[in-house]
Amino acid sequence: MVEKILVTGGAGFIGSHLIDKLVENYEVYSMDNSLPGFGNKRINPLAHQITGDIRRYEDIEFAINNIDFVIHLAAISHVSTCINNPMLAFNVNVQGTVNLLEACRKQGNIKRVIVAASDHIYGKNPAILPVTENDGYKSLSENDVYGMTKAMQAVIAKMYNDFYHVPTVITASGNVYSERQSFPNVIPSFIYNALNNKDLIIHGSGEQTRDFYYISDLVSGYIKCLETPHIEGELFNFGNGGVETSIIKIAELIIKLTNSKSEIKHINDTKLNAMNRMSLDIHKAKVLLNWKPTISLEEGLIMTINEWRKKYENFNDCTNNL
């Protein structure tokens, strides 16, 4: 019998890519709230669609009925949205996660729940890079709204695993990208401007760093979390292998790869820069999951740029389709 898997936030950027892979081997159910402005709202036609909101416990109870596995991606992921609407961020990211795990606890037969946290759980300014899973959930005391909600989400998932025996696996991902990613994320914003020969706008100096890696590598990481035995309660970092990449390097590389006439412009508004530097140690995922990234930064950017070029004939209209 084919096993059934529920993906919350399945119509979003990451969820849509993940479902494209999962439908090869699972009966897939996608739960998404279908609110405008969040995610790309694309869903594989082979997946079952459930319109629901993780803030409503009854929606989750319905969605997990007879489900074997859950991958929990649904979240308010834009830092600016979380800052401007902290109540929404806590209701979705924290209470929504509690609702899901509580429903799984009461159902009692879920084989595994994968909870997608973020590298923001490690705080704004990690003392040592790349950060390891042993660095804990530092942002409980030193981060912004988004980072705090994701850290609380990870702590709650670990508690449900240890205390209530709901089998959970937690992930902390760096900055993943591909052509389906929406604005205001940095890579789609830069590519859009570069293809239109517009200025690439950087908040601050551009020396701030992130752990960028391509979407297919994150998808393979989730599959490993789903199918590797005896990893319940573990936290895994996913990233490009501990390499920091500055925002200004990303801008320069995109201009080069698109042969653009764009220039880089800096503005002083840095309030949304949730962290100054970040890179993730992925040794644990290599050892326990036999996982590692396979797509280089330049290769991933070339694929992303080429997909944009194929998808949009008129780049000035492309924002209407995201």
Side-chain angles (χ1 to χ4, degrees), residues 217-228:
D217 285 325
L218 177 58
V219 167
S220 69
Y222 281 127
I223 301 297
K224 291 286 189 180
C225 286
L226 193 64
E227 299 178 349
T228 302

Side-chain angles (χ1 to χ4, degrees), residues 111-131:
K111 296 178 181 178
R112 183 169 292 173
V113 182
I114 299 169
V115 176
S118 163
D119 57 0
H120 286 251
I121 69 175
Y122 297 119
K124 288 184 178 180
N125 299 296
I128 299 175
L129 292 175
V131 294

Side-chain angles (χ1 to χ4, degrees), residues 101-102 105 156-166:
L101 293 170
E102 181 65 10
R105 179 182 78 87
I156 290 164
K158 175 66 171 167
M159 183 271 290
Y160 264 88
N161 181 88
D162 295 350
F163 193 75
Y164 292 114
H165 308 294
V166 177

Side-chain angles (χ1 to χ4, degrees), residues 54-57 60 94-104:
I54 60 171
R55 292 173 291 181
R56 293 193 294 265
Y57 182 79
I60 295 175
V94 180
Q95 185 61 54
T97 299
V98 172
N99 288 344
L100 173 67
L101 293 170
E102 181 65 10
C104 291

Side-chain angles (χ1 to χ4, degrees), residues 202-220:
I202 291 180
H203 295 256
S205 69
E207 297 302 321
Q208 58 269 39
T209 64
R210 299 291 184 269
D211 195 324
F212 291 100
Y213 68 120
Y214 193 65
I215 185 64
S216 61
D217 285 325
L218 177 58
V219 167
S220 69

Side-chain angles (χ1 to χ4, degrees), residues 65-251:
N65 187 39
N66 295 319
I67 291 293
D68 297 296
F69 300 97
V70 179
I71 300 181
H72 179 40
L73 304 178
I76 303 299
S77 58
H78 292 162
V79 173
S80 59
T81 303
C82 292
I83 290 174
N84 293 329
N85 196 338
M87 181 176 289
L88 175 66
F90 278 93
N91 284 343
V92 174
N93 296 357
V94 180
Q95 185 61 54
T97 299
V98 172
N99 288 344
L100 173 67
L101 293 170
E102 181 65 10
C104 291
R105 179 182 78 87
K106 289 184 175 179
Q107 180 158 306
N109 61 353
I110 300 294
K111 296 178 181 178
R112 183 169 292 173
V113 182
I114 299 169
V115 176
S118 163
D119 57 0
H120 286 251
I121 69 175
Y122 297 119
K124 288 184 178 180
N125 299 296
I128 299 175
L129 292 175
V131 294
T132 71
E133 293 85 350
N134 293 330
D135 290 319
Y137 311 123
K138 299 294 183 62
S139 63
L140 283 174
S141 61
E142 63 180 45
N143 212 337
D144 56 31
V145 176
Y146 174 69
M148 185 171 288
T149 62
K150 299 304 282 185
M152 292 176 70
Q153 181 186 56
V155 169
I156 290 164
K158 175 66 171 167
M159 183 271 290
Y160 264 88
N161 181 88
D162 295 350
F163 193 75
Y164 292 114
H165 308 294
V166 177
T168 65
V169 176
I170 306 155
T171 66
S173 172
N175 287 56
V176 69
Y177 65 92
S178 83
E179 88 289 347
R180 292 182 198 169
Q181 193 175 29
S182 62
F183 300 110
N185 290 286
V186 64
I187 286 180
S189 298
F190 283 175
I191 291 175
Y192 168 74
N193 282 4
L195 291 173
N196 285 283
N197 294 311
K198 296 181 178 180
D199 292 341
L200 275 59
I201 306 301
I202 291 180
H203 295 256
S205 69
E207 297 302 321
Q208 58 269 39
T209 64
R210 299 291 184 269
D211 195 324
F212 291 100
Y213 68 120
Y214 193 65
I215 185 64
S216 61
D217 285 325
L218 177 58
V219 167
S220 69
Y222 281 127
I223 301 297
K224 291 286 189 180
C225 286
L226 193 64
E227 299 178 349
T228 302
H230 313 305
I231 57 170
E232 287 77 11
E234 297 289 353
L235 166 65
F236 293 100
N237 288 341
F238 291 129
N240 70 2
V243 178
E244 293 181 72
T245 304
S246 69
I247 302 300
I248 197 165
K249 179 179 178 180
I250 291 289

